[in-house]
Amino acid sequence: ASRKNEQRRNKKQKEDVIKNYNQSWLDKNIEPLENIFSDDIIYSECYGPEYHGLPQILKWFSDWNIKGTVLKWEIKKFIHQGLFTVVEWYFECDYNNEISGFDGVSIIEFNKNMKIINLKEFQSKSEHDYP
């Protein structure tokens, strides 16, 4: 039973870290990021940019939030496997006065301290049709 409790605790801890990350964008609050990411984080955005290390993440966050505002970042589902969590989500923002949104998936790897060490985002159009 204690192993199951530990697994449940780890899942909740990872989900809380991810929810805090999304909320930091909604709040434009850079403060939580140092507790969310490891110093050697590698973060790949869904449209190409890749950031190496916490200082790059902090700069990207600051720069992006000058021109942009995250309007929604809704989590649809979590899938856990060991130190990995896959998250399905919907993201919407206003960037340079242009509103856009898309569905996405993140593959997130945690270290043993429950900090994110690797995050890869993938995007899909949110409008689906039936050919």
Side-chain angles (χ1 to χ4, degrees):
S2 66
R3 184 165 159 75
K4 279 247 188 284
N5 286 342
E6 185 182 340
Q7 287 174 334
R8 207 173 295 126
R9 231 182 357 264
N10 283 348
K11 281 181 186 178
K12 182 175 180 348
Q13 210 174 350
K14 289 187 282 189
E15 289 177 10
D16 287 346
V17 167
I18 294 162
K19 288 174 186 173
N20 288 343
Y21 176 61
N22 289 16
Q23 193 62 47
S24 71
W25 281 95
L26 289 161
D27 298 341
K28 294 189 175 213
N29 181 7
I30 200 168
E31 294 297 317
L33 299 187
E34 289 188 27
N35 294 318
I36 290 170
F37 295 111
S38 70
D39 291 340
D40 56 349
I41 172 72
I42 297 175
Y43 191 119
S44 301
E45 280 195 273
C46 52
Y47 62 95
E50 189 170 271
Y51 309 99
H52 291 251
L54 189 57
Q56 277 195 346
I57 297 278
L58 298 175
K59 181 171 180 357
W60 161 52
F61 185 94
S62 297
D63 291 349
W64 193 95
N65 277 291
I66 293 167
K67 296 178 181 175
T69 299
V70 176
L71 303 172
K72 291 181 186 169
W73 203 348
E74 299 166 354
I75 293 170
K76 297 179 183 182
K77 185 188 300 179
F78 290 105
I79 303 167
H80 300 283
Q81 179 65 50
L83 290 173
F84 289 88
T85 297
V86 175
V87 187
E88 185 182 352
W89 42 263
Y90 173 75
F91 178 87
E92 192 175 291
C93 70
D94 177 340
Y95 194 81
N96 281 338
N97 299 313
E98 188 177 316
I99 293 177
S100 63
F102 57 89
D103 289 319
V105 171
S106 295
I107 301 171
I108 302 170
E109 183 180 2
F110 289 83
N111 64 19
K112 298 215 184 305
N113 299 322
M114 289 299 144
K115 285 192 172 188
I116 297 173
I117 58 171
N118 195 302
L119 192 154
K120 292 182 177 83
E121 290 178 347
F122 300 90
Q123 121 180 33
S124 168
K125 287 183 168 48
S126 53
E127 300 79 34
H128 297 281
D129 54 32
Y130 306 93

